Amino acid sequence: LGVLTLYWNTTNVGNKAICALASGLAALVRLDVLHFHWDNTASGDEGADALGNSLVQLQQLKVASLHCGRTSIGDAGVTAIGDGLSKIGVLESLTFNCYSTVVTDAGLAGFARSIGQ
């Protein structure tokens, strides 16, 4: 599988489902492009942490488009996603949209530090 597009916007999806999805994503080691939109769901830092951990396995990922607006993702969650993204050596394009979350300046700084590594 080279491209995966998932739109789970405005659903009752929570951390449990995001964690399960993240576990499955980790097996897609040949994935080049990931579009994952989970805006306006019941997910938070736990799901984001699982997603960040799975991103580490996607070493061929060149394009990532991640949208988690209107969720309860906070500083720990965006930092975990940044940590996962920072381990992908071939990433060429990133869109990360976190509007209307509980992320603070500290979370954005953590994300920036992670992807700057």
Side-chain angles (χ1 to χ4, degrees), residues 5-80:
T5 302
L6 300 168
Y7 290 97
W8 287 2
N9 306 57
T10 314
T11 63
N12 291 323
V13 167
N15 286 320
K16 185 176 179 180
I18 300 296
C19 290
L21 173 71
S23 178
L25 279 177
L28 301 177
V29 295
R30 295 183 309 183
L31 194 65
D32 296 309
V33 178
L34 173 62
H35 300 283
F36 182 32
H37 297 228
W38 71 106
D39 306 83
N40 201 25
T41 63
S43 63
D45 286 341
E46 181 184 352
D49 185 62
L51 180 61
N53 289 331
S54 72
L55 290 170
V56 173
Q57 304 303 316
L58 306 180
Q59 290 301 305
Q60 293 185 11
L61 192 67
K62 293 180 181 163
V63 176
S65 176
L66 307 172
H67 296 252
C68 62
R70 294 187 181 163
T71 63
S72 62
I73 291 174
D75 297 344
V78 296
T79 300

